[in-house]
Amino acid sequence: YFLSRAFLERSNGVLESNSSGQRSTWRDPDGRNVSMTPTRTYYENSQPCREYETEVTINGRREIATGNACRRADGTWKIQS
């Protein structure tokens, strides 16, 4: 799920605009509640990168994932892990 098109589109805005610790919550096209919180900003090769935590409920089970993403030259964010 965390690499679905819907997730990637919404997460770009969160990674770009939210301050560290600022959570965003939304309902995805399948009706699941999703939240994403950037937790730290750092730089790799002069590009901004962010650590984040995401939470989604799938089939009644809460799933939590953490990862990293870095901004590409075109301004979109690429999920690293």
Side-chain angles (χ1 to χ4, degrees), residues 5-6 11-12 17-19 22 26-28 30-31 33 36-38 48 50-52 55-56 59-61 64 76-77:
R5 182 181 177 107
S11 65
N12 265 300
S17 301
N18 286 32
S19 301
Q22 181 185 358
W26 65 92
R27 186 174 298 274
D28 76 4
D30 295 321
N33 287 322
M36 182 179 211
T37 309
R50 309 224 42 201
E51 292 177 355
Y52 62 88
E55 184 178 317
V56 64
N59 298 324
R61 266 188 47 186
I64 297 174
T76 61
W77 289 80

Side-chain angles (χ1 to χ4, degrees), residues 41-58:
T41 302
Y42 61 98
Y43 289 83
E44 272 186 20
N45 302 320
S46 300
Q47 294 289 356
C49 298
R50 309 224 42 201
E51 292 177 355
Y52 62 88
E53 179 179 286
T54 302
E55 184 178 317
V56 64
T57 302
I58 300 172

